Amino acid sequence: KASSTAGCQLPRYVRVNLLKNTVEDVIDYFKREDYTYLGQATSVADLKHLGRKQFIGDLHLPELLVFHPKIDLHEHFLYTAGHIILQDKASCLPAHLLNPPTGSHVIDACAAPGNKTSHLAAILCNKGKLFAFDLDTKRLSTMGTLLLRAGVTCHELANQDFLLVDPSNPKYQNVKYILLDPSCSGSGIVNRLNQLTDDETSSSRPRLLALASFQCKALNHALSFPGVERVIYSTCSIHREENEDVVEEILQQHGNRIRCCIGDC
Ligand code: SAM
């Protein structure tokens, strides 16, 4: 998910919540606040030289706007009213790549606090069904607030262990798309001071292997849903134990039954 950006700060990414507004209207809103819109970026270099009152459209995701790293929009009306979501680009890629068609049935297996769920709902235009699971009650309650603010209505939230969700339940027979963003070491999370949050204890070999074991189980479980056609597996880890090794293990188990695309996000 993250790459080391020593010496340069990560820009502030703003995802326009298409359930509540359009990219054009959000751009106009910021322009009225004296920001200058520089158009669509044409290279990564364009993102590096933004002034504090400038912003630009992302290179890949049309609903993503990019601001100066020091801009804080947490108190901004568009954020508090759910018109924009403050979500880094790496975190937007899983839902963008899963790209479920409007009206389809989707599972978000480890969903809280729900930024990817709200992104999926926007891609679905709130049509279809979005089954979201998480084990953590507190994170789920935060997620309820976030989804309400974002205007998400196509979801069904469950405080449930995804590993115990029954794939043969008729309720899930039309699920073709699954997003799996499981618990991980978090070693690839870049904080706003541009340090990776990796440390020796959280990334000890036994811990990574324990996480990888859960990640493999969860990915296998996702692939066991009878109608599934596309699964996106993402982590916030920079360790191959939690990424390539997990995918390779699953490919070995499933052989030709699945085709894999490993993205360098
Ligand atoms: N996808 C979320 C988002 O974009 O906001 C972040 C998910 S976070 C990386 C991983 C989540 O998995 C945590 O909220 C954790 O409580 C949940 N989790 C861990 N084990 C789980 C399980 N067996 N079943 C369901 N959720 C689980």
Side-chain angles (χ1 to χ4, degrees):
K1 267 189 196 172
S3 56
S4 175
T5 51
C8 80
Q9 287 202 303
L10 272 190
R12 160 63 68 196
Y13 285 99
V14 168
R15 175 167 65 79
V16 176
N17 178 13
L18 299 178
L19 293 177
K20 285 212 157 173
N21 217 321
T22 62
V23 176
E24 293 70 28
D25 281 355
V26 168
I27 290 172
D28 284 346
Y29 198 103
F30 280 112
K31 280 186 182 166
R32 285 198 298 276
E33 292 185 341
D34 288 334
Y35 284 89
T36 304
Y37 176 57
L38 302 179
Q40 203 72 23
T42 51
S43 75
V44 177
D46 292 345
L47 312 184
K48 290 186 183 159
H49 307 292
L50 290 171
R52 287 197 183 225
K53 276 285 182 184
Q54 292 177 326
F55 67 113
I56 196 163
D58 179 64
L59 272 174
H60 303 106
L61 275 73
E63 70 271 47
L64 208 56
L65 301 173
V66 193
F67 288 75
H68 186 276
K70 293 244 157 64
I71 293 298
D72 184 356
L73 297 168
H74 285 92
E75 306 293 327
H76 195 280
F77 163 76
L78 289 178
Y79 174 69
T80 55
H83 293 252
I84 58 172
I85 314 280
L86 304 179
Q87 186 175 2
D88 277 331
K89 180 169 180 176
S91 164
C92 294
L93 290 174
H96 175 75
L97 294 171
L98 189 64
N99 197 22
T102 305
S104 55
H105 289 198
V106 182
I107 285 180
D108 190 350
C110 295
N115 275 336
K116 296 185 187 73
T117 319
S118 89
H119 193 189
L120 284 169
I123 292 168
L124 289 169
C125 303
N126 253 340
K127 297 193 177 85
K129 199 83 209 169
L130 183 44
F131 302 102
F133 303 98
D134 205 281
L135 271 182
D136 189 316
T137 330
K138 210 167 153 213
R139 285 166 73 94
L140 268 180
S141 122
T142 309
M143 178 165 174
T145 313
L146 190 148
L147 295 185
L148 186 68
R149 189 167 67 190
V152 175
T153 53
C154 62
H155 63 296
E156 193 177 303
L157 265 192
N159 187 190
Q160 197 177 340
D161 183 342
F162 173 63
L163 297 178
L164 301 179
V165 177
D166 179 6
S168 64
N169 185 332
K171 196 171 161 178
Y172 308 120
Q173 67 185 4
N174 295 321
V175 169
K176 289 188 184 164
Y177 301 88
I178 300 184
L179 194 153
L180 175 64
D181 186 40
S183 295
C184 69
S185 62
S187 55
I189 295 171
V190 182
N191 71 21
R192 297 256 148 226
L193 295 172
N194 275 328
Q195 289 158 336
L196 295 175
T197 55
D198 201 4
D199 68 57
E200 279 180 18
T201 37
S202 66
S203 299
S204 69
R205 178 90 179 147
R207 179 159 189 261
L208 291 182
L209 294 182
L211 285 163
S213 161
F214 164 68
Q215 292 153 353
C216 278
K217 274 189 208 142
L219 189 46
N220 249 328
H221 195 61
L223 290 165
S224 73
F225 282 71
V228 74
E229 291 181 2
R230 187 180 299 162
V231 175
I232 292 286
Y233 172 72
S234 61
T235 74
C236 306
S237 167
I238 52 168
H239 294 292
R240 86 167 278 128
E241 286 90 337
E242 299 178 88
N243 295 312
E244 291 90 339
D245 289 356
V246 168
V247 175
E248 272 168 30
E249 165 75 27
I250 298 302
L251 284 175
Q252 273 182 13
Q253 291 177 28
H254 290 261
N256 293 338
R257 202 175 75 79
I258 50 177
R259 191 166 58 89
C260 167
C261 312
I262 296 188
D264 183 9
C265 314

